[in-house]
Amino acid sequence: MKIVKHISIVLLCLLGSIQGQAKIKLAALFSDNMILQQQQLVPVWGWAEKNENINVTTSWDAKTYQVKVDANGKWKLAVQTPSAGGPYTIEVSQSTEKIVINNVLIGEVWLCSGQSNMEMPLKGFSGQPVRNGNDIIVKSSNSNIRLITVPRASVLVPQENFEGKWEVAAPQTTSNFSATAWYFGTLLQQVLQVPIGLIHVSYGGSNIEAWMNEEMLKDFGGVSIPKKKEDIKEPNRTPTVLYNGMLSPVIGYGIKGCIWYQGESNYERPEQYKDLMKKMVGSWRNLWGQGEFPFYYAQIAPFNYAQFHPKEIVEKYNSAYVREAQFKASKEIPNSGMAVLMDIGEENNIHPVDKEKGGNRLAYLALAKTYGINGFEFESPKYKAMEIIGSTITISFDDAPNGLTSFGKEITGFEIAGEDKVFYPAQAVLRRKSVQLSSAQVAKPVAVRYLFKDFTKAELFSVGGLPVSSFRTDEW
């Protein structure tokens, strides 16, 4: 009897050992309640004992895919997704184990990244509310919206995974989720009537270099790549560390596109920002291997950045220069668009309470430019050209299909200058798609600036309510 018992214990131990070695592990992105990008060949990956055969069966077509685990214990394959729908299941199995992923939807998946204005949750930050946030949270239950957040992580080497899981939208899950991303996703879901998945990857106070790897930064002078833990002086601003800790684990997941809200932490170095942004977007696209996926971003809102330097006034610290760099980037990054937020800035709050305008305007860009829906305004009017006749300058604009408006308020934000480069406030006369400017102090004007200040408030809009960005015609 003792011998039989002993043999049974040995067999159980052996079986436990075999199962322990062969255990399948899925990346955090592949959990119950997940969403996969529709009508796309999307990757699925995880880990198991090397040389094992992994089978992945998708319930929407009853098709089984097979792959062998590599020498490092990792496996990856691609499955073909159908049109939007669900719920479905995905079964991942090997000789001794099976995992079933339940409640899988097929729809549209977007990556949502940046710094604190993307990170700011619907419930707000401590002492800093999101307008109507509580009301939105209460009404947020929606089984067709799925959310996942990558937790903050600043590390030296690229990570393969993170702690997290997909969740169904409901008050207990949306309250801590990005407000900007939520408004973006809910408007897409309402209009497109398909499931929406939002992957949130952001870190407050982060600069753009933290979201780039060493290869992306090699052509930019003055960038110090950390080599040891002690080199990470600032977890959100040290080059490469957020790319390694937060972006790396999601690279390759099937997405439709990306929204981005960042720039505040680069306001002191506007001269580099356009090129950094171009490099980052192009490099992310190469890493995803999906071609030039849509990349839509928010232009930072006006704010009194000078308060960060009370004893040092430097002209380039004027955040209008970063807004200008962001505008220029939109002209040079293919398949991109910029949401202008000149009307939501707060002089002493870098986190505007109005997150709805930003999220909705990013959604307008996606709905029009990615999904081909028309009949509404989706881009802010843009400076087109100026014509000088005598002492009057006429500024014309593109992307104002129904004209311009100040909503009945006086326009005081224009300035003009002559060859002496001294700017004076201009009197503005609004025409349908243009503005005529003049000043008694400038007999022969040569340059125009509009709201080219650190903190200011929008004055000029499209009839559809989209504000004109700050701009200048000079390069002084």
mmCIF file with all atom_site columns, all heavy atoms in Angstrom, residues 125-144:
data_model
loop_
_atom_site.group_PDB
_atom_site.id
_atom_site.type_symbol
_atom_site.label_atom_id
_atom_site.label_alt_id
_atom_site.label_comp_id
_atom_site.label_asym_id
_atom_site.label_entity_id
_atom_site.label_seq_id
_atom_site.pdbx_PDB_ins_code
_atom_site.Cartn_x
_atom_site.Cartn_y
_atom_site.Cartn_z
_atom_site.occupancy
_atom_site.B_iso_or_equiv
_atom_site.pdbx_formal_charge
_atom_site.auth_seq_id
_atom_site.auth_comp_id
_atom_site.auth_asym_id
_atom_site.auth_atom_id
_atom_site.pdbx_PDB_model_num
ATOM 1   N N   . PHE A 1 125 ? -7.333  64.560 -11.968 1.00 0.00 ? 125 PHE A N   1
ATOM 2   C CA  . PHE A 1 125 ? -6.226  64.422 -11.043 1.00 0.00 ? 125 PHE A CA  1
ATOM 3   C C   . PHE A 1 125 ? -6.632  65.009 -9.693  1.00 0.00 ? 125 PHE A C   1
ATOM 4   O O   . PHE A 1 125 ? -7.648  65.707 -9.589  1.00 0.00 ? 125 PHE A O   1
ATOM 5   C CB  . PHE A 1 125 ? -4.993  65.175 -11.560 1.00 0.00 ? 125 PHE A CB  1
ATOM 6   C CG  . PHE A 1 125 ? -4.339  64.552 -12.772 1.00 0.00 ? 125 PHE A CG  1
ATOM 7   C CD1 . PHE A 1 125 ? -3.865  65.348 -13.804 1.00 0.00 ? 125 PHE A CD1 1
ATOM 8   C CD2 . PHE A 1 125 ? -4.194  63.170 -12.870 1.00 0.00 ? 125 PHE A CD2 1
ATOM 9   C CE1 . PHE A 1 125 ? -3.251  64.797 -14.922 1.00 0.00 ? 125 PHE A CE1 1
ATOM 10  C CE2 . PHE A 1 125 ? -3.574  62.600 -13.980 1.00 0.00 ? 125 PHE A CE2 1
ATOM 11  C CZ  . PHE A 1 125 ? -3.105  63.409 -15.009 1.00 0.00 ? 125 PHE A CZ  1
ATOM 12  N N   . SER A 1 126 ? -5.838  64.772 -8.670  1.00 0.00 ? 126 SER A N   1
ATOM 13  C CA  . SER A 1 126 ? -6.126  65.321 -7.351  1.00 0.00 ? 126 SER A CA  1
ATOM 14  C C   . SER A 1 126 ? -6.193  66.851 -7.408  1.00 0.00 ? 126 SER A C   1
ATOM 15  O O   . SER A 1 126 ? -5.228  67.510 -7.791  1.00 0.00 ? 126 SER A O   1
ATOM 16  C CB  . SER A 1 126 ? -5.044  64.888 -6.354  1.00 0.00 ? 126 SER A CB  1
ATOM 17  O OG  . SER A 1 126 ? -5.289  65.428 -5.078  1.00 0.00 ? 126 SER A OG  1
ATOM 18  N N   . GLY A 1 127 ? -7.345  67.399 -7.093  1.00 0.00 ? 127 GLY A N   1
ATOM 19  C CA  . GLY A 1 127 ? -7.530  68.843 -7.113  1.00 0.00 ? 127 GLY A CA  1
ATOM 20  C C   . GLY A 1 127 ? -7.698  69.436 -8.490  1.00 0.00 ? 127 GLY A C   1
ATOM 21  O O   . GLY A 1 127 ? -7.826  70.656 -8.624  1.00 0.00 ? 127 GLY A O   1
ATOM 22  N N   . GLN A 1 128 ? -7.701  68.595 -9.533  1.00 0.00 ? 128 GLN A N   1
ATOM 23  C CA  . GLN A 1 128 ? -7.829  69.080 -10.914 1.00 0.00 ? 128 GLN A CA  1
ATOM 24  C C   . GLN A 1 128 ? -8.903  68.259 -11.627 1.00 0.00 ? 128 GLN A C   1
ATOM 25  O O   . GLN A 1 128 ? -8.669  67.115 -12.014 1.00 0.00 ? 128 GLN A O   1
ATOM 26  C CB  . GLN A 1 128 ? -6.499  68.963 -11.656 1.00 0.00 ? 128 GLN A CB  1
ATOM 27  C CG  . GLN A 1 128 ? -5.403  69.828 -11.071 1.00 0.00 ? 128 GLN A CG  1
ATOM 28  C CD  . GLN A 1 128 ? -4.128  69.779 -11.890 1.00 0.00 ? 128 GLN A CD  1
ATOM 29  O OE1 . GLN A 1 128 ? -3.970  68.967 -12.791 1.00 0.00 ? 128 GLN A OE1 1
ATOM 30  N NE2 . GLN A 1 128 ? -3.208  70.677 -11.585 1.00 0.00 ? 128 GLN A NE2 1
ATOM 31  N N   . PRO A 1 129 ? -10.076 68.832 -11.810 1.00 0.00 ? 129 PRO A N   1
ATOM 32  C CA  . PRO A 1 129 ? -11.188 68.074 -12.394 1.00 0.00 ? 129 PRO A CA  1
ATOM 33  C C   . PRO A 1 129 ? -11.153 68.008 -13.909 1.00 0.00 ? 129 PRO A C   1
ATOM 34  O O   . PRO A 1 129 ? -10.483 68.792 -14.579 1.00 0.00 ? 129 PRO A O   1
ATOM 35  C CB  . PRO A 1 129 ? -12.404 68.883 -11.935 1.00 0.00 ? 129 PRO A CB  1
ATOM 36  C CG  . PRO A 1 129 ? -11.893 70.298 -11.874 1.00 0.00 ? 129 PRO A CG  1
ATOM 37  C CD  . PRO A 1 129 ? -10.463 70.189 -11.398 1.00 0.00 ? 129 PRO A CD  1
ATOM 38  N N   . VAL A 1 130 ? -11.889 67.046 -14.435 1.00 0.00 ? 130 VAL A N   1
ATOM 39  C CA  . VAL A 1 130 ? -12.258 67.001 -15.843 1.00 0.00 ? 130 VAL A CA  1
ATOM 40  C C   . VAL A 1 130 ? -13.719 67.427 -15.919 1.00 0.00 ? 130 VAL A C   1
ATOM 41  O O   . VAL A 1 130 ? -14.561 66.893 -15.194 1.00 0.00 ? 130 VAL A O   1
ATOM 42  C CB  . VAL A 1 130 ? -12.091 65.580 -16.429 1.00 0.00 ? 130 VAL A CB  1
ATOM 43  C CG1 . VAL A 1 130 ? -12.766 65.464 -17.792 1.00 0.00 ? 130 VAL A CG1 1
ATOM 44  C CG2 . VAL A 1 130 ? -10.609 65.223 -16.533 1.00 0.00 ? 130 VAL A CG2 1
ATOM 45  N N   . ARG A 1 131 ? -13.997 68.400 -16.764 1.00 0.00 ? 131 ARG A N   1
ATOM 46  C CA  . ARG A 1 131 ? -15.363 68.921 -16.855 1.00 0.00 ? 131 ARG A CA  1
ATOM 47  C C   . ARG A 1 131 ? -16.348 67.798 -17.198 1.00 0.00 ? 131 ARG A C   1
ATOM 48  O O   . ARG A 1 131 ? -16.135 67.033 -18.131 1.00 0.00 ? 131 ARG A O   1
ATOM 49  C CB  . ARG A 1 131 ? -15.435 70.020 -17.914 1.00 0.00 ? 131 ARG A CB  1
ATOM 50  C CG  . ARG A 1 131 ? -16.818 70.656 -18.046 1.00 0.00 ? 131 ARG A CG  1
ATOM 51  C CD  . ARG A 1 131 ? -16.782 71.807 -19.030 1.00 0.00 ? 131 ARG A CD  1
ATOM 52  N NE  . ARG A 1 131 ? -15.917 72.869 -18.532 1.00 0.00 ? 131 ARG A NE  1
ATOM 53  C CZ  . ARG A 1 131 ? -15.271 73.739 -19.329 1.00 0.00 ? 131 ARG A CZ  1
ATOM 54  N NH1 . ARG A 1 131 ? -15.382 73.639 -20.636 1.00 0.00 ? 131 ARG A NH1 1
ATOM 55  N NH2 . ARG A 1 131 ? -14.514 74.678 -18.794 1.00 0.00 ? 131 ARG A NH2 1
ATOM 56  N N   . ASN A 1 132 ? -17.393 67.696 -16.416 1.00 0.00 ? 132 ASN A N   1
ATOM 57  C CA  . ASN A 1 132 ? -18.452 66.695 -16.590 1.00 0.00 ? 132 ASN A CA  1
ATOM 58  C C   . ASN A 1 132 ? -17.956 65.260 -16.425 1.00 0.00 ? 132 ASN A C   1
ATOM 59  O O   . ASN A 1 132 ? -18.650 64.307 -16.780 1.00 0.00 ? 132 ASN A O   1
ATOM 60  C CB  . ASN A 1 132 ? -19.133 66.832 -17.967 1.00 0.00 ? 132 ASN A CB  1
ATOM 61  C CG  . ASN A 1 132 ? -19.763 68.193 -18.170 1.00 0.00 ? 132 ASN A CG  1
ATOM 62  O OD1 . ASN A 1 132 ? -20.316 68.780 -17.242 1.00 0.00 ? 132 ASN A OD1 1
ATOM 63  N ND2 . ASN A 1 132 ? -19.668 68.724 -19.381 1.00 0.00 ? 132 ASN A ND2 1
ATOM 64  N N   . GLY A 1 133 ? -16.757 65.101 -15.857 1.00 0.00 ? 133 GLY A N   1
ATOM 65  C CA  . GLY A 1 133 ? -16.177 63.774 -15.753 1.00 0.00 ? 133 GLY A CA  1
ATOM 66  C C   . GLY A 1 133 ? -17.030 62.798 -14.969 1.00 0.00 ? 133 GLY A C   1
ATOM 67  O O   . GLY A 1 133 ? -17.227 61.651 -15.396 1.00 0.00 ? 133 GLY A O   1
ATOM 68  N N   . ASN A 1 134 ? -17.556 63.226 -13.838 1.00 0.00 ? 134 ASN A N   1
ATOM 69  C CA  . ASN A 1 134 ? -18.342 62.312 -13.010 1.00 0.00 ? 134 ASN A CA  1
ATOM 70  C C   . ASN A 1 134 ? -19.595 61.850 -13.731 1.00 0.00 ? 134 ASN A C   1
ATOM 71  O O   . ASN A 1 134 ? -19.976 60.673 -13.671 1.00 0.00 ? 134 ASN A O   1
ATOM 72  C CB  . ASN A 1 134 ? -18.711 62.986 -11.691 1.00 0.00 ? 134 ASN A CB  1
ATOM 73  C CG  . ASN A 1 134 ? -19.130 61.995 -10.629 1.00 0.00 ? 134 ASN A CG  1
ATOM 74  O OD1 . ASN A 1 134 ? -18.394 61.073 -10.320 1.00 0.00 ? 134 ASN A OD1 1
ATOM 75  N ND2 . ASN A 1 134 ? -20.315 62.185 -10.067 1.00 0.00 ? 134 ASN A ND2 1
ATOM 76  N N   . ASP A 1 135 ? -20.238 62.762 -14.433 1.00 0.00 ? 135 ASP A N   1
ATOM 77  C CA  . ASP A 1 135 ? -21.451 62.420 -15.178 1.00 0.00 ? 135 ASP A CA  1
ATOM 78  C C   . ASP A 1 135 ? -21.137 61.429 -16.293 1.00 0.00 ? 135 ASP A C   1
ATOM 79  O O   . ASP A 1 135 ? -21.899 60.481 -16.531 1.00 0.00 ? 135 ASP A O   1
ATOM 80  C CB  . ASP A 1 135 ? -22.069 63.695 -15.761 1.00 0.00 ? 135 ASP A CB  1
ATOM 81  C CG  . ASP A 1 135 ? -23.433 63.456 -16.379 1.00 0.00 ? 135 ASP A CG  1
ATOM 82  O OD1 . ASP A 1 135 ? -24.303 62.905 -15.693 1.00 0.00 ? 135 ASP A OD1 1
ATOM 83  O OD2 . ASP A 1 135 ? -23.615 63.807 -17.558 1.00 0.00 ? 135 ASP A OD2 1
ATOM 84  N N   . ILE A 1 136 ? -20.015 61.642 -16.974 1.00 0.00 ? 136 ILE A N   1
ATOM 85  C CA  . ILE A 1 136 ? -19.610 60.724 -18.047 1.00 0.00 ? 136 ILE A CA  1
ATOM 86  C C   . ILE A 1 136 ? -19.312 59.344 -17.474 1.00 0.00 ? 136 ILE A C   1
ATOM 87  O O   . ILE A 1 136 ? -19.702 58.313 -18.055 1.00 0.00 ? 136 ILE A O   1
ATOM 88  C CB  . ILE A 1 136 ? -18.376 61.273 -18.793 1.00 0.00 ? 136 ILE A CB  1
ATOM 89  C CG1 . ILE A 1 136 ? -18.723 62.579 -19.516 1.00 0.00 ? 136 ILE A CG1 1
ATOM 90  C CG2 . ILE A 1 136 ? -17.831 60.250 -19.782 1.00 0.00 ? 136 ILE A CG2 1
ATOM 91  C CD1 . ILE A 1 136 ? -19.784 62.441 -20.587 1.00 0.00 ? 136 ILE A CD1 1
ATOM 92  N N   . ILE A 1 137 ? -18.627 59.290 -16.341 1.00 0.00 ? 137 ILE A N   1
ATOM 93  C CA  . ILE A 1 137 ? -18.300 58.001 -15.721 1.00 0.00 ? 137 ILE A CA  1
ATOM 94  C C   . ILE A 1 137 ? -19.564 57.212 -15.401 1.00 0.00 ? 137 ILE A C   1
ATOM 95  O O   . ILE A 1 137 ? -19.669 56.017 -15.705 1.00 0.00 ? 137 ILE A O   1
ATOM 96  C CB  . ILE A 1 137 ? -17.465 58.227 -14.438 1.00 0.00 ? 137 ILE A CB  1
ATOM 97  C CG1 . ILE A 1 137 ? -16.075 58.756 -14.791 1.00 0.00 ? 137 ILE A CG1 1
ATOM 98  C CG2 . ILE A 1 137 ? -17.340 56.933 -13.643 1.00 0.00 ? 137 ILE A CG2 1
ATOM 99  C CD1 . ILE A 1 137 ? -15.298 59.283 -13.604 1.00 0.00 ? 137 ILE A CD1 1
ATOM 100 N N   . VAL A 1 138 ? -20.544 57.873 -14.804 1.00 0.00 ? 138 VAL A N   1
ATOM 101 C CA  . VAL A 1 138 ? -21.791 57.200 -14.414 1.00 0.00 ? 138 VAL A CA  1
ATOM 102 C C   . VAL A 1 138 ? -22.475 56.569 -15.629 1.00 0.00 ? 138 VAL A C   1
ATOM 103 O O   . VAL A 1 138 ? -23.059 55.480 -15.540 1.00 0.00 ? 138 VAL A O   1
ATOM 104 C CB  . VAL A 1 138 ? -22.736 58.198 -13.710 1.00 0.00 ? 138 VAL A CB  1
ATOM 105 C CG1 . VAL A 1 138 ? -24.125 57.595 -13.537 1.00 0.00 ? 138 VAL A CG1 1
ATOM 106 C CG2 . VAL A 1 138 ? -22.166 58.598 -12.364 1.00 0.00 ? 138 VAL A CG2 1
ATOM 107 N N   . LYS A 1 139 ? -22.380 57.225 -16.778 1.00 0.00 ? 139 LYS A N   1
ATOM 108 C CA  . LYS A 1 139 ? -23.083 56.765 -17.982 1.00 0.00 ? 139 LYS A CA  1
ATOM 109 C C   . LYS A 1 139 ? -22.190 55.954 -18.924 1.00 0.00 ? 139 LYS A C   1
ATOM 110 O O   . LYS A 1 139 ? -22.551 55.735 -20.076 1.00 0.00 ? 139 LYS A O   1
ATOM 111 C CB  . LYS A 1 139 ? -23.616 57.984 -18.746 1.00 0.00 ? 139 LYS A CB  1
ATOM 112 C CG  . LYS A 1 139 ? -24.576 58.848 -17.945 1.00 0.00 ? 139 LYS A CG  1
ATOM 113 C CD  . LYS A 1 139 ? -24.930 60.116 -18.699 1.00 0.00 ? 139 LYS A CD  1
ATOM 114 C CE  . LYS A 1 139 ? -25.829 61.030 -17.892 1.00 0.00 ? 139 LYS A CE  1
ATOM 115 N NZ  . LYS A 1 139 ? -26.106 62.315 -18.603 1.00 0.00 ? 139 LYS A NZ  1
ATOM 116 N N   . SER A 1 140 ? -21.041 55.484 -18.446 1.00 0.00 ? 140 SER A N   1
ATOM 117 C CA  . SER A 1 140 ? -20.029 54.953 -19.357 1.00 0.00 ? 140 SER A CA  1
ATOM 118 C C   . SER A 1 140 ? -20.131 53.474 -19.681 1.00 0.00 ? 140 SER A C   1
ATOM 119 O O   . SER A 1 140 ? -19.328 52.961 -20.460 1.00 0.00 ? 140 SER A O   1
ATOM 120 C CB  . SER A 1 140 ? -18.631 55.224 -18.773 1.00 0.00 ? 140 SER A CB  1
ATOM 121 O OG  . SER A 1 140 ? -18.444 54.525 -17.555 1.00 0.00 ? 140 SER A OG  1
ATOM 122 N N   . SER A 1 141 ? -21.082 52.763 -19.118 1.00 0.00 ? 141 SER A N   1
ATOM 123 C CA  . SER A 1 141 ? -21.178 51.330 -19.423 1.00 0.00 ? 141 SER A CA  1
ATOM 124 C C   . SER A 1 141 ? -21.441 51.116 -20.908 1.00 0.00 ? 141 SER A C   1
ATOM 125 O O   . SER A 1 141 ? -22.411 51.644 -21.467 1.00 0.00 ? 141 SER A O   1
ATOM 126 C CB  . SER A 1 141 ? -22.297 50.688 -18.593 1.00 0.00 ? 141 SER A CB  1
ATOM 127 O OG  . SER A 1 141 ? -21.967 50.692 -17.223 1.00 0.00 ? 141 SER A OG  1
ATOM 128 N N   . ASN A 1 142 ? -20.573 50.341 -21.547 1.00 0.00 ? 142 ASN A N   1
ATOM 129 C CA  . ASN A 1 142 ? -20.708 50.091 -22.987 1.00 0.00 ? 142 ASN A CA  1
ATOM 130 C C   . ASN A 1 142 ? -19.914 48.839 -23.327 1.00 0.00 ? 142 ASN A C   1
ATOM 131 O O   . ASN A 1 142 ? -18.686 48.858 -23.338 1.00 0.00 ? 142 ASN A O   1
ATOM 132 C CB  . ASN A 1 142 ? -20.191 51.287 -23.793 1.00 0.00 ? 142 ASN A CB  1
ATOM 133 C CG  . ASN A 1 142 ? -20.489 51.164 -25.280 1.00 0.00 ? 142 ASN A CG  1
ATOM 134 O OD1 . ASN A 1 142 ? -20.608 50.064 -25.819 1.00 0.00 ? 142 ASN A OD1 1
ATOM 135 N ND2 . ASN A 1 142 ? -20.612 52.294 -25.956 1.00 0.00 ? 142 ASN A ND2 1
ATOM 136 N N   . SER A 1 143 ? -20.596 47.762 -23.596 1.00 0.00 ? 143 SER A N   1
ATOM 137 C CA  . SER A 1 143 ? -19.915 46.484 -23.862 1.00 0.00 ? 143 SER A CA  1
ATOM 138 C C   . SER A 1 143 ? -19.152 46.494 -25.170 1.00 0.00 ? 143 SER A C   1
ATOM 139 O O   . SER A 1 143 ? -18.350 45.593 -25.430 1.00 0.00 ? 143 SER A O   1
ATOM 140 C CB  . SER A 1 143 ? -20.936 45.339 -23.871 1.00 0.00 ? 143 SER A CB  1
ATOM 141 O OG  . SER A 1 143 ? -21.896 45.529 -24.901 1.00 0.00 ? 143 SER A OG  1
ATOM 142 N N   . ASN A 1 144 ? -19.368 47.518 -26.000 1.00 0.00 ? 144 ASN A N   1
ATOM 143 C CA  . ASN A 1 144 ? -18.664 47.607 -27.276 1.00 0.00 ? 144 ASN A CA  1
ATOM 144 C C   . ASN A 1 144 ? -17.425 48.497 -27.211 1.00 0.00 ? 144 ASN A C   1
ATOM 145 O O   . ASN A 1 144 ? -16.828 48.808 -28.246 1.00 0.00 ? 144 ASN A O   1
ATOM 146 C CB  . ASN A 1 144 ? -19.598 48.120 -28.369 1.00 0.00 ? 144 ASN A CB  1
ATOM 147 C CG  . ASN A 1 144 ? -20.484 47.020 -28.906 1.00 0.00 ? 144 ASN A CG  1
ATOM 148 O OD1 . ASN A 1 144 ? -20.024 45.926 -29.193 1.00 0.00 ? 144 ASN A OD1 1
ATOM 149 N ND2 . ASN A 1 144 ? -21.773 47.307 -29.015 1.00 0.00 ? 144 ASN A ND2 1
#
